[in-house]
Amino acid sequence: MSLLETLLQSMTSASSLDTMSKRTGGNNDQMATLITAALPILLKALTANASTQSGAASLQKALSQHQETGSIAEQFEAADTADGAKILQHILGGNSSSVMNGLSQQSGLSNDQVGSALSAMAPVLLSSLSAASVQRPAQPARPAIDLSDGIDASDIMGFMQMMSSAQGGASRQPQRQASFDGSDLLGLLSMLK
């Protein structure tokens, strides 16, 4: 099961949807639509951010600060939305408004409800990524990547080239956000450990 499928399964469970609906005033169908649409976008943005040395370091720091345990529903209920809003701003940057508007139209929720839901989702997503990166065994390094001197831009580029060649290189079709499964991000996280 891919990272995206695992996260979707846990974040769209009945108890998780109930908790998010209570937080936002939406209904479970709207929350399921929102989460299903938002997760690939957030994972793709995190992967893009982590493709630079400073972005990778920032992600490592954020993951070390988000290691909550408990069910996803419990984490949604206890989520610090002020922290979540900061995480979203960092992940989405200047695209925040357009992403929120698109998700609002797709889910039928207001922009405020989408913002509230995503602010609760962001810290839970980081905790889930932190847990997934610990559970996933590190992949052996290939010659193009030398982590003995710490991670640098050439290591990130080597990783991206490996992922590109593993997925068919230049001949492959551009990935649509809906098909993004998070494997690139997990692979990068395992190399950062």
Side-chain angles (χ1 to χ4, degrees), residues 30 77-78:
Q30 291 172 315
E77 190 170 351

Side-chain angles (χ1 to χ4, degrees), residues 22-148:
K22 287 176 190 167
R23 281 195 83 126
T24 64
N27 64 47
N28 286 14
D29 289 339
Q30 291 172 315
M31 294 288 32
T33 300
L34 174 65
I35 291 168
T36 302
L39 267 175
I41 294 168
L42 295 176
L43 287 172
K44 191 164 189 144
L46 275 169
T47 303
N49 291 348
S51 67
T52 65
Q53 186 173 4
S54 63
S58 178
L59 180 57
Q60 266 189 306
K61 181 179 178 187
L63 293 180
S64 71
Q65 296 169 348
H66 293 88
Q67 299 183 356
E68 289 78 12
T69 58
S71 73
I72 296 295
E74 291 168 341
Q75 290 183 51
F76 277 154
E77 190 170 351
D80 178 348
T81 55
D83 180 44
K86 291 176 190 172
I87 294 167
L88 284 176
Q89 186 57 44
H90 187 75
I91 293 173
L92 299 173
N95 297 322
S96 293
S97 294
S98 60
V99 168
M100 297 274 188
N101 289 336
L103 291 172
S104 174
Q105 290 174 2
Q106 197 167 355
S107 66
L109 296 164
S110 71
N111 279 358
D112 287 343
Q113 289 172 311
V114 169
S116 175
L118 293 183
S119 293
M121 279 178 61
V124 175
L125 176 59
L126 290 184
S127 292
S128 298
L129 288 174
S130 181
S133 68
V134 170
Q135 292 170 1
R136 180 184 172 110
Q139 301 296 317
R142 304 234 170 120
I145 300 170
D146 176 19
L147 299 179
S148 64

